[in-house]
Amino acid sequence: SAQLRSRYADNAGAEYIEQRMDKVNQYRDVYDNIALGDKLLELTEYALAEQKYELAKQTAAAIYFDGGKEQALAALVTLYEEWAVANAANETAAVDAAADQVAAAELIAQGDTAYAAGDLTGAKVFFMIALEKYTELNDTAQTEVLNGKMAALDEKQAEVDQQIAGAQLLEAEAALLMEEGQLAQAKEQLQKAKNVYQELGQDDKLEKIQGEMDLVDSQLGLPPEEAVSGNG
């Protein structure tokens, strides 16, 4: 919102705003990797979880984000504790192939659930781990099924990316219309983009575009009641 407003003030503070946005994205990367590590830890994928926690720690250290670094370190401590317990258990009993089959099937089920909820990234993680397990078990039938699921997932991701690109184009058109003073037309384009983001469940983008629409409403001089109904 600040970046958009700066355009109407000769880009005052634009460089600072861009720097802050870059830092926010880096902070988000730290938290995303920790969250992904947590999910992998729940699945007892310790080596993969370790990679994500280490990446979060390195990213946080690079941007002097002490809080994120401490959180990543704490996650690593928990990981190593659970990993040690798991290793001790594995020394006393061999992992049954049937148990691996059940675990892999559960991963596929969780991947299907994530896919149905629109969490394509999470679904891909589940499918990839399941694929690793079935590959180790030499289960060619299930690996073929999973390869088909991942191909469909990639196709869906491409569709989503295309829809997002279209919405971003609408936002760009709205920005040009605002510069030309065509506020009503700009709001129409923003509403179309908002509809796309709502359909895709892109909550972070919805918050951003709502700020842009609020700015248009303020310039149109709409009272709060009309502005709310206009944003639908």
Side-chain angles (χ1 to χ4, degrees):
S1 180
Q3 185 181 53
L4 184 61
R5 291 171 183 270
S6 73
R7 297 177 184 173
Y8 301 95
D10 296 328
N11 289 318
E15 182 178 356
Y16 173 78
I17 293 170
E18 192 67 34
Q19 290 173 350
R20 298 300 296 174
M21 290 175 66
D22 288 342
K23 174 142 286 190
V24 167
N25 287 331
Q26 290 174 314
Y27 275 48
R28 183 185 298 171
D29 288 342
V30 172
Y31 287 123
D32 285 348
N33 279 306
I34 291 175
L36 189 52
D38 291 342
K39 184 175 289 186
L40 290 165
L41 178 57
E42 291 176 5
L43 299 171
T44 66
E45 292 294 335
Y46 303 113
L48 294 175
E50 181 185 31
Q51 292 176 13
K52 295 303 177 184
Y53 290 146
E54 283 289 349
L55 183 56
K57 183 184 73 173
Q58 293 167 10
T59 302
I63 60 174
Y64 304 101
F65 179 22
D66 293 338
K69 182 179 178 181
E70 290 175 2
Q71 188 172 339
L73 286 170
L76 281 167
V77 169
T78 300
L79 165 69
Y80 292 139
E81 289 175 349
E82 294 190 20
W83 203 345
V85 171
N87 286 337
N90 289 336
E91 291 175 1
T92 58
V95 178
D96 194 331
D100 281 343
Q101 288 279 1
V102 172
E106 178 62 22
L107 286 168
I108 293 177
Q110 292 179 347
D112 289 339
T113 299
Y115 183 90
D119 182 8
L120 302 185
T121 300
K124 190 166 188 177
V125 170
F126 286 122
F127 289 154
M128 288 179 66
I129 298 173
L131 183 60
E132 278 186 21
K133 288 185 177 295
Y134 280 125
T135 300
E136 292 172 359
L137 292 167
N138 296 316
D139 191 332
T140 56
Q142 287 297 335
T143 55
E144 288 180 7
V145 170
L146 273 167
N147 283 328
K149 285 180 176 289
M150 292 182 68
L153 188 150
D154 289 339
E155 183 177 346
K156 178 64 177 179
Q157 184 65 65
E159 293 176 3
V160 170
D161 291 343
Q162 186 175 7
Q163 288 178 282
I164 290 176
Q168 290 173 337
L169 181 59
L170 289 169
E171 287 189 80
E173 291 173 355
L176 290 174
L177 288 167
M178 290 178 68
E179 291 177 0
E180 295 171 358
Q182 301 182 53
L183 300 180
Q185 295 87 336
K187 185 174 179 180
E188 289 178 4
Q189 299 300 86
L190 289 172
Q191 183 63 56
K192 292 177 183 177
K194 180 181 178 182
N195 292 341
V196 173
Y197 293 140
Q198 284 180 324
E199 181 181 349
L200 297 176
Q202 298 283 323
D203 294 338
D204 56 332
K205 293 181 174 61
L206 275 175
E207 184 176 351
K208 172 179 174 292
I209 204 168
Q210 187 59 58
E212 295 173 356
M213 294 181 71
D214 290 343
L215 178 60
V216 173
D217 285 335
S218 67
Q219 293 184 3
L220 284 169
L222 295 177
E225 297 81 4
E226 188 174 347
V228 171
S229 61
N231 288 342

